[in-house]
Amino acid sequence: MADQPVTLRTRKFIRNPLLGRKQMVVDVLHPSRPNVSKDELRSKLAELYKASKDTVSVFGFRTQYGGGKSTGFALIYDSNEAMKKFEPHYRLVRYGQATKIEKASRQQRKQRKNRAKTVRGTAKTKGADKKKKK
């Protein structure tokens, strides 16, 4: 699928020196394809702006009704350090530059919190029996 032509157009280009990046809206024209992968877009943008693929972040792509055109956002950082400093952690995980923090599911965390509330203020006994009803 990658052999069919894809055209990239950037607009609303802004150089953001405080965050050490260039930011832009990207229009992708892909008339003979259903969509274009973010990985392919990163490599094409890196080639276009003479940057490393590791410093390019693309997100928020929506395909127009009828297909053939997608629009999204791209950030090209000046360095890997700037990217690690300012890019959200979940996006760094997506690009393989950080590891995902494994934690219990949201429901399990809430259940653990509520179980801990029942033993608050009671003497430490085995199992921490609940209050007895009259």
Side-chain angles (χ1 to χ4, degrees):
M1 285 302 244
D3 56 342
Q4 286 143 341
V6 169
T7 308
L8 291 181
R9 289 202 183 119
T10 59
R11 56 190 172 91
K12 296 188 178 179
F13 182 91
I14 296 172
R15 173 81 189 90
N16 191 336
L18 289 174
L19 297 178
R21 70 186 184 195
K22 303 174 193 100
Q23 50 199 52
M24 66 206 81
V25 173
V26 181
D27 292 326
V28 186
L29 301 173
H30 46 93
S32 56
R33 292 171 64 169
N35 222 327
V36 186
S37 72
K38 288 183 192 167
D39 195 52
E40 190 179 336
L41 289 175
R42 286 177 68 207
S43 55
K44 284 187 182 290
L45 277 170
E47 183 184 314
L48 197 67
Y49 283 95
K50 298 174 183 65
S52 167
K53 181 183 168 187
D54 296 335
T55 60
V56 179
S57 173
V58 293
F59 56 94
F61 279 87
R62 285 271 171 259
T63 306
Q64 276 191 356
Y65 180 73
K69 182 180 178 185
S70 299
T71 304
F73 208 73
L75 306 171
I76 301 173
Y77 285 91
D78 296 339
S79 64
N80 269 340
E81 291 77 35
M83 186 166 184
K84 282 187 171 59
K85 186 175 179 185
F86 297 115
E87 196 71 0
H89 190 263
Y90 73 93
R91 274 196 233 140
L92 291 174
V93 169
R94 251 183 221 174
Y95 304 137
Q97 295 182 5
T99 55
K100 187 175 182 194
I101 300 166
E102 292 297 327
K103 55 187 174 187
S105 72
R106 185 177 169 92
Q107 186 176 5
Q108 286 174 333
R109 285 180 289 175
K110 287 176 178 242
Q111 287 170 348
R112 186 181 307 131
K113 171 194 64 107
N114 289 330
R115 276 198 306 274
K117 282 177 9 183
T118 62
V119 298
R120 180 174 179 265
T122 59
K124 288 188 178 180
T125 58
K126 188 76 174 167
D129 299 323
K130 294 189 176 184
K131 293 178 185 173
K132 294 183 176 98
K133 293 190 177 183
K134 292 182 182 178

